[in-house]
Amino acid sequence: MIGIDLGTTNSVVAYLRAGQAEVIANSEGAKTTPSVVFYETLDTPLVGELAKRQLLLRPDRTVRSVKRLMGRRYSEAKDNLAKLPYPTRPSADDEIRILIDNGELSPEKVSCDILRKMRATAADFLGEESAQAVVTVPAHFNDSQRQATKHAAEQAGIEVLRIINEPTAAALAYGLRKQKAERVAVFDFGGGTFDISILELDEDVFEVRSTNGDTELGGDNIDELLSEAIAGWILKETGVDPGVDVGARQRIREAAEQAKCELSSLASTVVSLPFIVAGPRGPHHFSREIQRPEFEALVRPVLDRLKEPCARALSDGGLRRADIHSVILVGGSTRIPAVQQIVREFFGLEPNKSVNPDEAVALGAAIQAAVLSGEIEEVLLLDVTPLSLGIEVEGGVFRVLIPRNSSIPTAVKRRFTTTRDNQENVDVHALQGERSAAAENRSLAHLRLSGVAPSPAEVPEIEVSFAIDANGILSVSATDLTSGAQKEMIVESYRPAGEQEAERLAAEAEAQAEQDREFLRRVGRRQAALATQRAIAAFMESSGELITEEDGAALRQGLFRLDVAVHADNQEAVAETRAALLEIAQKYPEFLQAGRPSVEQVE
């Protein structure tokens, strides 16, 4: 059994030998394998360092940084796709398709080829096929992204024993056999994603208190900013835009990445790009020195985004900065001195560099694989789900069933009812996110329960069950407790086409909190109006002889106006018309005795 860190920039595979986790070197002798794939043809992928060299020569056939696209719809990622060196387009069901000459690939297929390379690396070293593995994902990956990663591994011939979060794996590598209790923050800033997880380590118990992050924040963002700056300098100096040439763009990107790495240990570096562009007077060369302060000022917009997820993770865990004993740095981008300074300033602690930031995640995955195989028995790992899960209820409201940062595995059951008389089908719309409005969260799946026993509205009891396994993957079921009809499914949300509903993470939910409160108030007023409408209509039908002709006419006219106001979403008219209706209806004791809603009850 092996552990695999499927990274945005590099991937690593590790195993356990004599109780110690070790990284396995690939066929080129390196412990890290670039997550780059070159396709001479679609059926002959070349993975790793040799593929990375093709980025300059054949960028149209070379794919990198595909991890961010895993499990995402084209409609969600389209704003970022233009920055990639390879063209993309949507498929009929909104999946992202990577175009290679006259062929196309899915992000899942590219990741499959990388994982196949990792499996072959382990097999060559161990002398036997390693068909079982623990695979890591960013802590803030949603259900779709986890499912896509699991499917990619299965297509590569790997039996996925467990999907675990990268910061949690790094904590395993850091804390195994430490004989002291401490609370640590794992600061995982890699090539494509950023995660911050807070864990309680107590000897051999690893409990995740909270996790947060940004799946659109990584070293790639730094490379993009520096690349844009270099391209701007070239344009200003030569009058020729290097952005129109794919090869020039890739050379600039490579130079930016190299400069970033060099400035992590040097005070300055020189970007040298001979023959980078050609103008009317011939080719132009570019050379410029970059000082570390200038570099840090250029990438400050990216670095400043690291603070907010840290604050949210502390808040979700009910902790203060002073409660953290150690901050573990994971991911190659944490080598940047400015990143380490942000950690010092935010947590008031010197960053812990005791683990190799490139290897820690794979080592932790190998430890978890050993735990599952029984080779290590004393480790207990308690992880959490990164985002809230729930369903859409009447009025387009998102009802949370499993809150974010709930320990996994977990299962929850809730009972709901119908909204129409004699309803025989119930649609369960599963979503993931933090917004009160269902349409503002990420749609995961639609489950239709048929065979519901026909009954008046609000009589049937429909039990909805959400269960998250140890991999963080969701299954949903619905049962009519009267008829016994049942429907269940494993959510594979990255495949079905549906409405284009973008994921809103916790930060966006906080920013739109007042908008969400107003949405809930509007839904509440609408539902109150509908309840009043039903109650008065039922009262008029059952007690028509008690109502005076004048009041009857006023009620009928009011019901019509209320119906128009509700459908027009005219909140002011809804409130006025409903109040007028209740003022008339509440003159009759029979209306109140029948339990009809008063103003106070329905508000």
Side-chain angles (χ1 to χ4, degrees):
M1 296 183 183
I2 56 177
I4 299 176
D5 171 16
L6 177 63
T8 304
T9 307
N10 295 294
S11 295
V12 186
V13 59
Y15 79 117
L16 202 76
R17 180 170 68 176
Q20 294 293 323
E22 295 184 10
V23 170
I24 300 172
N26 59 27
S27 56
E28 293 82 34
K31 289 188 174 181
T32 61
T33 300
S35 299
V36 183
V37 188
F38 170 71
Y39 292 93
E40 181 63 42
T41 68
L42 296 183
D43 297 326
T44 57
L46 180 64
V47 181
E49 185 60 40
L50 296 178
K52 187 176 180 181
R53 295 173 190 171
Q54 299 298 319
L55 278 169
L56 293 176
L57 302 174
R58 301 293 302 277
D60 58 320
R61 288 180 173 269
T62 311
V63 182
R64 62 160 175 80
S65 297
V66 77
K67 183 174 176 178
R68 283 184 177 179
L69 308 184
M70 291 288 284
R72 302 192 69 189
R73 300 174 184 138
Y74 186 89
S75 54
E76 294 172 333
K78 61 184 178 182
D79 292 340
N80 297 314
L81 296 178
K83 300 175 183 177
L84 297 173
Y86 41 84
T88 62
R89 69 167 181 81
S91 67
D93 56 1
D94 202 28
E95 285 186 352
I96 297 170
R97 310 304 295 180
I98 298 167
L99 306 183
I100 303 291
D101 282 357
N102 60 346
E104 61 179 38
L105 298 161
S106 67
E108 187 178 320
K109 172 63 170 63
V110 178
S111 293
C112 166
D113 291 331
I114 297 170
L115 288 164
R116 191 175 283 117
K117 167 75 172 179
M118 295 295 97
R119 179 186 174 189
T121 293
D124 291 344
F125 178 82
L126 299 173
E128 59 180 303
E129 283 293 330
S130 300
Q132 295 179 315
V134 169
V135 181
T136 64
V137 296
H140 228 53
F141 255 23
N142 61 30
D143 182 76
S144 306
Q145 294 164 310
R146 292 170 189 272
Q147 285 277 11
T149 303
K150 186 171 185 287
H151 276 269
E154 290 169 348
Q155 290 175 18
I158 297 171
E159 179 187 347
V160 180
L161 300 171
R162 183 74 54 86
I163 297 284
I164 66 170
N165 294 334
E166 290 167 1
T168 307
L172 280 173
Y174 164 81
L176 185 65
R177 299 189 178 91
K178 285 187 181 290
Q179 299 302 311
K180 66 174 184 177
E182 60 179 322
R183 187 178 296 113
V184 302
V186 181
F187 190 96
D188 185 357
F189 188 33
T193 60
F194 170 60
D195 285 318
I196 177 74
S197 291
I198 299 174
L199 297 94
E200 300 271 3
L201 310 186
D202 189 358
E203 295 186 353
D204 295 315
V205 177
F206 295 72
E207 180 180 2
V208 181
R209 285 285 296 269
S210 65
T211 188
N212 214 290
D214 189 337
T215 55
E216 291 290 334
L217 179 62
D220 281 356
N221 299 80
I222 293 175
D223 296 343
E224 287 166 8
L225 284 180
L226 188 53
S227 296
E228 290 171 3
I230 294 172
W233 294 332
I234 293 173
L235 175 61
K236 183 177 180 180
E237 183 177 304
T238 67
V240 180
D241 183 6
V244 299
D245 184 290
V246 175
R249 288 204 308 267
Q250 188 56 45
R251 288 181 61 193
I252 291 171
R253 176 68 181 242
E254 292 289 315
E257 184 179 358
Q258 182 179 349
K260 175 188 70 175
C261 295
E262 291 176 352
L263 288 170
S264 295
S265 56
L266 302 174
S268 66
T269 188
V270 175
V271 174
S272 181
L273 292 165
F275 303 98
I276 186 60
V277 291
R281 298 181 180 180
H284 294 276
H285 312 297
F286 175 78
S287 180
R288 190 182 192 280
E289 183 181 32
I290 303 177
Q291 301 285 337
R292 184 185 288 174
E294 181 183 20
F295 164 74
E296 291 176 352
L298 282 171
V299 302
R300 180 56 56 184
V302 171
L303 301 182
D304 286 343
R305 289 170 58 189
L306 295 168
K307 300 174 185 178
E308 189 174 346
C310 296
R312 291 200 303 266
L314 285 173
S315 176
D316 290 345
L319 301 169
R320 301 167 301 161
R321 302 180 191 192
D323 296 327
I324 305 300
H325 302 133
S326 182
V327 183
I328 305 166
L329 298 185
V330 180
S333 298
T334 59
R335 290 190 172 92
I336 299 173
V339 172
Q340 297 175 14
Q341 184 59 31
I342 285 175
V343 172
R344 293 187 189 97
E345 293 172 356
F346 186 88
F347 290 100
L349 296 169
E350 187 64 27
N352 186 311
K353 306 176 186 177
S354 61
V355 298
N356 185 316
D358 295 323
E359 300 176 3
V361 171
L363 294 173
I367 292 170
Q368 179 63 13
V371 171
L372 296 176
S373 70
E375 191 171 347
I376 297 178
E377 297 181 354
E378 65 272 21
V379 174
L380 176 62
L381 176 61
L382 302 172
D383 216 332
V384 299
T385 181
L387 295 168
S388 299
L389 293 154
I391 66 170
E392 180 179 359
V393 297
E394 178 71 8
V397 175
F398 178 51
R399 178 67 55 81
V400 173
L401 299 187
I402 300 178
R404 74 174 187 266
N405 288 317
S406 296
S407 296
I408 59 172
T410 187
V412 173
K413 293 182 179 180
R414 293 285 186 274
R415 292 186 181 183
F416 298 88
T417 189
T418 55
T419 59
R420 299 188 306 274
D421 292 339
N422 300 316
Q423 192 172 325
E424 297 183 3
N425 299 302
V426 171
D427 289 320
V428 178
H429 184 195
L431 303 113
Q432 185 173 38
E434 305 302 329
R435 298 294 299 277
S436 298
E440 296 297 329
N441 294 295
R442 193 177 204 280
S443 176
L444 296 180
H446 291 264
L447 179 150
R448 167 159 284 206
L449 175 64
S450 301
V452 176
S455 305
E458 302 181 8
V459 171
E461 288 189 288
I462 309 297
E463 185 176 76
V464 176
S465 174
F466 272 36
I468 306 178
D469 64 17
N471 297 316
I473 293 174
L474 173 69
S475 60
V476 178
S477 68
T479 305
D480 176 13
L481 298 182
T482 302
S483 68
Q486 186 176 30
K487 180 83 172 189
E488 58 185 336
M489 66 184 298
I490 302 296
V491 176
E492 297 187 3
S493 51
Y494 64 97
R495 288 188 179 278
E499 296 182 8
Q500 298 178 357
E501 299 167 317
E503 176 189 12
R504 300 291 189 272
L505 302 182
E508 296 169 340
E510 292 173 8
Q512 301 295 333
E514 181 55 39
Q515 180 180 327
D516 284 350
R517 283 192 288 270
E518 176 57 27
F519 167 78
L520 290 176
R521 286 193 290 266
R522 293 174 73 91
V523 170
R525 288 192 290 265
R526 182 179 187 275
Q527 291 179 332
L530 293 175
T532 300
Q533 191 178 44
R534 289 193 297 268
I536 292 177
F539 172 65
M540 291 178 68
E541 183 178 348
S542 62
S543 307
E545 69 279 0
L546 301 176
I547 304 172
T548 66
E549 185 176 345
E550 182 182 358
D551 285 344
L555 288 173
R556 285 191 293 273
Q557 187 177 30
L559 288 174
F560 174 76
R561 289 178 176 173
L562 183 61
D563 189 59
V564 171
V566 166
H567 285 86
D569 197 25
N570 186 333
Q571 295 289 306
E572 184 177 349
V574 166
E576 291 178 357
T577 310
R578 178 172 163 271
L581 282 168
L582 286 170
E583 184 179 355
I584 297 171
Q586 290 178 130
K587 293 192 301 183
Y588 296 88
E590 294 80 5
F591 178 77
L592 298 176
Q593 291 169 3
R596 304 307 182 189
S598 67
V599 175
E600 291 74 25
Q601 287 174 320
V602 297
E603 289 290 2

